[in-house]
């Protein structure tokens, strides 16, 4: 019952600027968050340290290269693996991003602003990018950490404005009069995809049709019907610790917006005498104990393009991971006699 996603798209080398990008007025008073060479080095360091951390499920080491929602997702995966028996654990396979083929979106940053950059990344060598990611500099250690990764749906990369130096322009993602949809509405739109299959926003849709939105609606449709008359599954919003948003100007005057959200999936038996048997991937939280109700928590990373003035946004990418599960036992032990 976990939410999964896959996708692919296309990229270009650093030497050749993509035709989809337009030039913008230079902003000489602003400095890039980092150079392209430094960004590629940060990407390579992430993969190298991530492999080492994953091999031993070293949370402290992982915290040096991940932060925010992505760290929560990865730490939950460690916990999930800890709940498996040795024979159930799959051998770890080292991996790396193709940093040289990464499409970089490095913004110019005002003095004192948080430093970050985005990238379209290929999760294996010599492949086209299949993920959108955000790296942010950790303020105390001055290290770059990956905070968000979302799987791309479709082959078209976002058309981000780059100036003559090849750098991007940041945009306010919330309460901005220059954008048709703010980050809070984007979160509501994604939650609606899961909760109602995208029907809750009425005639004024938050999202236009896209492969990413269709995948979320598919998750809704398959999940809410999985038990038939024996039980129910519903999606609801959950408290969201990860309110940071990142946005870059696009060639149509809108923005590419990165945002995260948290939601619950609650499965409940239809009547007494029925029970939900947790799977092995839930053992870390539910300990193989049958339940009458299970509430799963998911943290998700998303990326969408938003038009400048009117019209719906387009969801480009998302990835969700289960971070917790809980629920009452089906056969609780009787209280002790006095």
């Amino acid at each position: 019952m976990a939410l999964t996603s896959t996708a692919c798209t296309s990229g270009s080398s650093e030497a050749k600027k993509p035709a989809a990008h337009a030039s913008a007025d230079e902003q000489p008073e602003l400095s890039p968050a980092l150079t392209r060479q430094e960004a590629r080095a940060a990407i390579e360091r992430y993969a190298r340290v991530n492999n080492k951390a994953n091999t031993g499920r070293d949370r402290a080491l992982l915290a040096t290269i991940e932060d925010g929602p992505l760290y929560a997702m990865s730490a939950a995966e460690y916990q999930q693996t800890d709940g498996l028996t040795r024979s159930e654990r799959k051998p770890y396979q080292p991996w790396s991003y193709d940093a040289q083929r990464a499409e970089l979106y490095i913004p110019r940053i005002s003095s004192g602003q948080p430093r970050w950059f985005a990238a379209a990344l290929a999760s294996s060598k010599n492949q086209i990018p299949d993920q959108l990611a955000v790296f942010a500099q950790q303020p105390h250690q001055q290290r770059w950490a990956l905070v968000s990764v979302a799987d791309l749906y479709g082959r078209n990369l976002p058309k981000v404005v780059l100036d003559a130096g090849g750098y991007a322009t940041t945009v306010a993602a919330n309460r901005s009069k220059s954008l048709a949809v703010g980050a809070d509405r984007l979160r509501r739109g994604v939650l609606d995809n899961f909760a109602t299959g995208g029907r809750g926003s009425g005639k004024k849709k938050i999202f236009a049709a896209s492969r990413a939105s269709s995948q979320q609606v598919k998750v809704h449709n398959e999940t809410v019907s999985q038990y038939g008359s024996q039980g129910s599954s519903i999606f609801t919003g959950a408290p969201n610790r990860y309110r940071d948003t990142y946005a870059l100007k696009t060639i149509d005057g809108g923005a590419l917006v990165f945002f995260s959200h948290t939601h619950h999936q609650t499965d409940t038996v239809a009547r007494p005498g029925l029970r939900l048997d947790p799977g092995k991937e839930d053992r870390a939280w539910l300990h193989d104990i049958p339940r009458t109700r299970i509430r799963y928590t998911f943290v998700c990373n998303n990326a969408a393009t938003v038009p400048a003035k009117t019209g719906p946004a387009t969801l480009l990418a998302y990835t969700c991971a289960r971070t917790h599960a809980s629920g009452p036992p089906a056969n609780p032990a009787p209280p002790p006699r006095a």
Side-chain angles (χ1 to χ4, degrees), residues 103-321:
E103 187 68 43
L104 300 176
Y105 310 114
I106 301 173
R108 293 185 180 272
I109 300 294
S110 299
S111 177
Q113 283 187 323
R115 299 175 67 198
W116 64 277
F117 72 94
L121 300 172
S123 53
S124 57
K125 292 289 185 180
N126 301 317
Q127 298 295 318
I128 57 178
D130 56 3
Q131 296 178 335
L132 287 177
V134 175
F135 287 79
Q137 190 179 56
Q138 296 172 308
H140 300 298
Q141 297 88 354
Q142 298 297 304
R143 289 187 293 239
W144 288 95
L146 189 58
V147 297
S148 174
V149 174
D151 291 334
L152 267 165
Y153 285 76
R155 305 179 68 90
N156 296 322
L157 289 176
K159 298 174 182 178
V160 174
V161 171
L162 300 180
D163 63 21
Y167 296 105
T169 301
T170 60
V171 177
N174 248 336
R175 298 179 179 85
S176 173
K177 294 182 179 179
S178 64
L179 296 179
V181 183
D184 288 339
R185 284 196 67 206
L186 292 175
R187 289 189 179 93
R188 290 198 294 272
V190 168
L191 289 172
D192 182 57
N193 280 347
F194 285 114
T196 75
R199 298 185 300 273
S201 58
K203 293 183 179 180
K204 192 174 182 180
K205 295 288 186 181
I206 295 176
F207 289 117
S210 71
R211 291 179 62 184
S213 280
S214 294
Q215 177 61 25
Q216 292 181 347
V217 171
K218 180 182 178 182
V219 170
H220 162 84
N221 293 340
E222 293 179 348
T223 303
V224 299
S225 62
Q226 63 180 325
Y227 298 122
S229 62
Q230 305 299 302
S232 63
S233 296
I234 62 171
F235 292 98
T236 56
N240 181 30
R241 295 175 53 195
Y242 310 108
R243 304 291 301 175
D244 289 341
T245 56
Y246 305 87
L248 298 170
K249 187 176 181 180
T250 52
I251 62 173
D252 62 356
L256 167 63
V257 182
F258 299 88
F259 61 102
S260 301
H261 81 275
T262 306
H263 68 254
H264 291 312
Q265 174 192 322
T266 304
D267 297 353
T268 308
V269 299
R271 57 185 179 274
L274 298 176
R275 69 185 196 181
L276 298 168
D277 293 323
K280 63 182 181 181
E281 59 278 355
D282 299 319
R283 188 177 298 139
W285 298 287
L286 302 177
H287 312 293
D288 293 326
I289 299 172
R291 312 280 168 156
T292 57
R293 183 180 70 254
I294 299 174
R295 188 177 77 170
Y296 300 97
T297 300
F298 292 91
V299 172
C300 307
N301 295 320
N302 312 273
T305 52
V306 177
K309 294 297 181 183
T310 61
T314 301
L315 189 67
L316 300 179
Y318 88 96
T319 297
C320 292

Side-chain angles (χ1 to χ4, degrees), residues 24-38:
D25 293 336
E26 288 192 65
Q27 299 175 336
E29 73 279 6
L30 302 180
S31 299
L34 74 175
T35 66
R36 286 183 287 278
Q37 183 177 2
E38 290 170 335

